[in-house]
Amino acid sequence: MRGTHLAQLGEVPDGLTDALDVIAGFDDALTNGFGRVGERGAAALAAFADALVGTPLADPVAAAVGAVTAGSVTPEHLSALAGARSALLGAAHDALLGQFDTALSRARSPWTAPAVRPAEALPAVAGARAWWHEVAVAGWRGVDHELLSSAASVVEATLAVPALRRLAVLLDGLAAELRACVPIATMAQVPARRWADLWARGVLLTEGRQPTDEAPQVSGRLLPLGVDLHIHDTAVQVQLHAVLEPAGGGQPRLVRTAVAAAKVDTIVGPAVWRLLSAHPVLLTALAEQRAVTVTDLPLHGGDLGWADDRVRLDEPADPFATARVLLPAAVAAATAPLDRHPTAIGEPVLVEGTPLRDEDGALAVEVDGERVTLAVNRLPAAGPLTAELVASASACLGLLRWDDGRWQLQPLAVRATVKRRVVQAHNGDWACGVTDPKIAKEEARAGDAVAVLRERAGRLLRR
């Protein structure tokens, strides 16, 4: 990160702490349930409404807070509350991302609203809205097996509608988390912020208008920087951060593209890559550090839609060289409104220098006299990166994130010296199979869980 001013990242943007405190109060009220709001919850919701004074959301939020405290909340009131909560977090996101862009001199294109169409009045949407309403009334402390069992039919109905797949996966994943925590009433501490984030996102996905399928199409050369693995008990997503060189010239763009698959909790570690075998070009590009030529792929903001029939492998491309030469001039995209959240910030950066240990023993890298903590707890088990390898790195390609009240660097790839030899390790190195002999032997002894499950599923389908 040459030519940066990281000292600015140590400054807390004005109003950020107050906004997060207001949201924490809202989340506490949601934890106990909107069906039984006490004095503390009522005060927190009143402060929440006060934070929206002077905005277009002021009146609907005030009406919603009044309905909640009176015990007559409706799905429409919950939509107003979910929207207001997301708006506050969006403002926090914008303040932090503006701070980042200033510190690293990153250019960012303005947001262009996509074409939208009225949302269809589908029975599955109504069922999802009703379930989110029941959860809000009961609160996380009131969630029980009966409420969670009713989610199964809602998940099934939404999964049957392709346009609702995002909502279905979110609802299914949250229900699984809640089911694993029952009885929630006896939990010492509830992950209130995370569950409230998912609740608000779920409510908003059932509201308003839906984007049309129309999006500008782009062609050019996609140069990978690094891959971020999102692994859940019920799903896995591979999100590639890359630089796109547009065909015919033009300024390079910073983009993301992702593919995903459903999974079960027994598929872990390197085995998750086998679930994505339908995308051989992407997997090969990750495993061999190769560029990809893309033709007429849709680009929604900074998210590039992946289509296997419109991509082909190109020449080898060193991600570290791409980051050093092209990343500083690449233009980043604005964040879509629904995705504006502090924890959604993940900006690719290249940091050179050997990590050191903080006073608390955490790994950190020093840039321009400022220390940035390395988030080694985010290293996936599906790749070769380990905390020990990161500690010996001389260069790190990663995502700069804002987490736990501070900026942290999540490693995606490192360059290090191992046994007097300079090596590179990337999260996607095992996309086409484990290259570490020791890990490969362990995988062989454990057996191919994906193949076994597919064979059993095939038997069931043949009956």
Side-chain angles (χ1 to χ4, degrees):
M1 291 191 287
R2 292 169 293 182
T4 62
H5 303 282
L6 286 188
Q8 298 178 19
L9 296 183
E11 302 171 2
V12 178
D14 293 339
L16 179 64
T17 302
D18 292 337
L20 295 179
D21 287 344
V22 167
I23 292 167
F26 177 93
D27 296 347
D28 185 58
L30 180 60
T31 297
N32 294 315
F34 291 158
R36 49 181 183 279
V37 177
E39 290 184 9
R40 178 178 172 182
L45 292 175
F48 181 78
D50 288 343
L52 277 299
V53 171
T55 73
L57 291 170
D59 290 342
V61 169
V65 168
V68 170
T69 54
S72 58
V73 63
T74 66
E76 289 70 26
H77 292 138
L78 295 181
S79 296
L81 293 175
R85 183 184 184 278
S86 296
L88 283 174
L89 284 167
H93 166 278
D94 293 349
L96 290 165
L97 195 58
Q99 183 187 52
F100 169 88
D101 288 343
T102 300
L104 275 79
S105 301
R106 178 155 294 174
R108 193 170 302 274
S109 59
W111 168 252
T112 302
V116 296
R117 55 181 168 80
E120 298 181 55
L122 300 171
V125 173
R129 289 188 72 193
W131 193 80
W132 294 123
H133 180 264
E134 290 181 29
V135 168
V137 171
W140 306 122
R141 295 290 187 188
V143 170
D144 54 20
H145 287 293
E146 182 179 355
L147 181 54
L148 291 174
S149 63
S150 66
S153 59
V154 180
V155 171
E156 183 179 0
T158 49
L159 278 174
V161 183
L164 302 179
R165 192 62 54 83
R166 190 179 186 187
L167 172 62
V169 172
L170 186 154
L171 201 155
D172 187 32
L174 176 58
E177 281 192 36
L178 295 173
R179 195 174 294 112
C181 295
V182 170
I184 298 175
T186 61
M187 289 180 66
Q189 187 174 4
V190 171
R193 175 67 58 81
R194 170 177 169 77
W195 286 353
D197 284 343
L198 296 175
W199 172 83
R201 172 63 66 91
V203 171
L204 293 178
L205 286 176
T206 66
E207 293 292 333
R209 297 174 175 268
Q210 297 175 347
T212 65
D213 294 331
E214 299 175 6
Q217 294 184 334
V218 295
S219 300
R221 197 162 68 120
L222 196 66
L223 300 158
L225 291 169
V227 64
D228 187 14
L229 290 169
H230 305 154
I231 301 175
H232 192 273
D233 285 348
T234 60
V236 57
Q237 182 190 61
V238 170
Q239 187 180 71
L240 172 65
H241 293 261
V243 174
L244 175 67
E245 289 185 316
Q251 199 162 13
R253 300 182 184 180
L254 190 57
V255 299
R256 303 180 304 183
T257 188
V259 296
K263 65 181 286 291
V264 295
D265 56 3
T266 55
I267 300 177
V268 295
V272 300
W273 291 109
R274 299 189 186 102
L275 299 173
L276 303 166
S277 58
H279 309 287
V281 172
L282 179 60
L283 297 186
T284 303
L286 295 178
E288 299 179 3
Q289 282 90 58
R290 293 172 66 176
V292 176
T293 299
V294 303
T295 305
D296 296 334
L297 289 185
L299 183 64
H300 299 268
D303 291 307
L304 191 67
W306 186 264
D308 291 277
D309 59 342
R310 301 182 190 179
V311 297
R312 61 179 176 83
L313 288 170
D314 207 321
E315 297 178 352
D318 181 5
F320 283 91
T322 298
R324 190 173 293 108
V325 176
L326 295 177
L327 183 56
V331 177
T335 307
L338 197 57
D339 297 330
R340 290 163 60 239
H341 191 293
T343 59
I345 297 174
E347 294 291 322
V349 295
L350 172 63
V351 176
E352 297 183 274
T354 302
L356 42 81
R357 294 282 180 182
D358 277 340
E359 294 179 358
D360 58 0
L363 277 175
V365 63
E366 189 169 294
V367 183
D368 299 332
E370 294 292 327
R371 290 189 180 184
V372 180
T373 301
L374 291 167
V376 292
N377 59 309
R378 286 180 174 265
L379 297 177
L385 289 187
T386 62
E388 292 75 18
L389 189 58
V390 172
S392 62
S394 58
C396 178
L397 240 175
L399 299 178
L400 201 59
R401 295 188 176 280
W402 193 83
D403 191 17
D404 195 24
R406 58 180 175 171
W407 290 95
Q408 299 184 29
L409 181 65
Q410 173 191 347
L412 300 182
V414 299
R415 175 180 288 143
T417 301
V418 178
K419 296 180 179 179
R420 299 182 181 180
R421 186 167 63 94
V422 177
V423 299
Q424 290 187 20
H426 303 255
N427 277 348
D429 283 350
W430 295 350
C432 292
V434 179
T435 57
D436 185 319
K438 182 178 178 181
I439 303 297
K441 286 182 180 179
E442 293 177 0
E443 285 287 298
R445 282 196 298 267
D448 191 341
V450 176
V452 171
L453 289 172
R454 283 176 176 164
E455 192 274 335
R456 290 178 180 174
R459 263 195 256 164
L460 290 172
L461 291 173
R462 289 193 294 270
R463 288 181 181 176

